[in-house]
Amino acid sequence: MATAVTTPEQAGRRRSWRRLPIVHQLRQSVGLQRGMLIAGLVLMGVFVVTAVFAPLLAPYEYGQLRDDQGTFGAQQAPSAEHWLGTTVGGYDVLSRVIWGSRTALYVIVVAVLLSIVLGVLLGLVSGYFGGWLDRILVVIADAVYAFPTLLLAIVVAIVISGGQSSMWGGIFAAAISITVVFIPQYFRVVRAETVRVKAEAYVESAKVIGASNRRIMTRHVLRNATRTLPLILTLNASEAILTLAGLGFLGLGIQPTAAAEWGYDLNRALSDVSSGIWWTSVFPGAAIVLTVLGLTLVGESLNDLADPRLRTRRRVADVPEDVPEDAPAGTPEVAAVPGGTLSGPDGVGAPHTGGTRA
């Protein structure tokens, strides 16, 4: 019988593919934990695809009030022309919901990027150098962190744009106000990790051989101090959507003629609820809930999988463990049987050192 030989390059590619971010977590998860992660990824995927392809998916523009047949009409019930009905202002609800996902994605990207860059930089400098600079930055971060999130975002949005702005003006106003809230979170996490990492032996060895502070911070400390940031990123993305919706609900967000925003649409639909006009509020609200739910499920699942105390271990008999990263290329995968001996892919006591059987 012919045998297929696994080359070192193929084995390396297979290990690299299995250790991709999300793929590695999916292989670690099991049961309800895996179901939560998959559900969150599906909701996140729908949100991102809807935002990216909004011009193709939306039947009308976000500010369109009429077509070839005339004006849409206000508060029209769902029909063949308008699948989700129209708003009190005469906008198509489906189009506003789809275009609103793009606005939310813009705010998330801008806010998270700004907060990560500033928070990581300040946390790295504060934790590495310490001293009076560290004490000042910690006091400032704690003072900002003590403010209610939405209240601080309202104040910053008013200062930046006066509460009324265009599409990009509103996006940047909301993103910057959210950034101010998020910076202390990244700062505190990175600072704590930096303080721990800089006491490690390899950092001390780098200092002994004469490495500069910049090289030590960028090559040794930064990489090990930012491993938990993906977990914070997903949770902060959901909080950014809620903050943006809160600003729009209070009338401090983006104007309807500049862009679609779910919070603003909910604000305009308040009077419709008591009149039995349900579609103007249900669909923007459902978009917020499902998007935040997807991001939260992914964040909580990644957090559980990153914590050995919370992670549910898979049965070794079902899926073998990955080969360690420091193992030489071509080393076969070996599964550890609890209470037993090491067993190779062939089920015998010693690992199978030849090719894989066809």
Side-chain angles (χ1 to χ4, degrees):
M1 180 180 296
T3 58
V5 179
T6 303
T7 64
E9 291 79 9
Q10 292 174 335
R13 284 196 297 268
R14 183 175 62 178
R15 289 197 300 272
S16 299
W17 180 83
R18 289 178 177 178
R19 291 189 178 280
L20 288 174
I22 302 302
V23 174
H24 181 62
Q25 279 75 15
L26 277 173
R27 298 183 71 249
Q28 278 187 317
S29 60
V30 65
L32 179 61
Q33 200 174 60
R34 174 172 291 184
M36 291 173 56
L37 181 57
I38 292 176
L41 290 174
V42 169
L43 292 175
M44 279 184 59
V46 171
F47 166 66
V48 173
V49 169
T50 303
V52 172
F53 297 102
L56 301 177
L57 298 176
Y60 307 102
E61 293 292 328
Y62 55 81
Q64 188 172 343
L65 294 172
R66 58 185 303 129
D67 57 9
D68 297 337
Q69 284 72 39
T71 58
F72 293 154
Q75 299 172 323
Q76 297 294 315
S79 61
E81 292 77 18
H82 303 283
W83 291 359
L84 303 184
T86 60
T87 68
V88 64
Y91 302 108
D92 181 68
V93 174
L94 176 60
S95 300
R96 295 282 297 180
V97 170
I98 293 176
W99 282 102
S101 63
R102 169 167 286 195
T103 304
L105 183 62
Y106 282 152
V107 172
I108 289 175
V109 171
V110 176
V112 169
L113 285 179
L114 288 176
S115 57
I116 282 182
V117 171
L118 296 175
V120 169
L121 178 62
L122 293 175
L124 189 63
V125 172
S126 178
Y128 185 81
F129 292 105
W132 62 269
L133 178 62
D134 179 46
R135 290 194 292 270
I136 292 176
L137 291 176
V138 168
V139 170
I140 295 175
D142 289 343
V144 174
Y145 198 72
F147 276 87
T149 302
L150 184 58
L151 178 60
L152 184 60
I154 291 172
V155 173
V156 176
I158 293 175
V159 170
I160 292 174
S161 63
Q164 306 292 328
S165 56
S166 60
M167 174 181 173
W168 284 107
I171 287 174
F172 278 103
I176 292 174
S177 64
I178 295 169
T179 298
V180 174
V181 177
F182 286 171
I183 285 178
Q185 300 182 27
Y186 292 101
F187 168 81
R188 296 171 71 177
V189 171
V190 173
R191 176 189 172 275
E193 287 295 307
T194 301
V195 170
R196 179 187 63 82
V197 171
K198 75 174 184 178
E200 296 290 339
Y202 59 85
V203 175
E204 296 295 333
S205 300
K207 292 180 180 179
V208 170
I209 64 176
S212 63
N213 289 329
R214 179 180 178 182
R215 181 177 180 84
I216 295 174
M217 291 170 63
T218 55
R219 295 292 298 273
H220 302 290
V221 179
L222 179 62
R223 180 179 180 182
N224 293 283
T226 56
R227 292 184 176 182
T228 58
L229 291 189
L231 311 179
I232 307 174
L233 190 149
T234 55
L235 298 178
N236 280 353
S238 62
E239 189 176 349
I241 291 180
L242 293 177
T243 304
L244 174 65
L247 291 174
F249 186 80
L250 295 174
L252 301 174
I254 304 169
Q255 298 306 298
T257 55
E261 202 278 304
W262 296 331
Y264 177 88
D265 291 342
L266 281 178
N267 174 272
R268 300 295 294 169
L270 279 178
S271 58
D272 296 344
V273 177
S274 58
S275 304
I277 303 174
W278 53 269
W279 55 88
T280 58
S281 58
V282 167
F283 297 112
I288 295 174
V289 171
L290 292 177
T291 304
V292 172
L293 177 63
L295 292 168
T296 303
L297 286 176
V298 172
E300 292 295 338
S301 299
L302 293 178
N303 183 53
D304 291 350
L305 292 171
D307 191 341
R309 296 169 300 178
L310 301 176
R311 182 170 62 235
T312 303
R313 303 298 296 178
R314 296 173 301 168
R315 292 182 179 178
V316 181
D318 295 336
V319 182
E321 298 250 348
D322 291 340
V323 177
E325 293 183 356
D326 55 351
T331 302
E333 294 182 353
V334 180
V337 180
T341 59
L342 293 175
S343 60
D346 294 332
V348 297
H352 179 66
T353 56
T356 57
R357 293 190 299 181

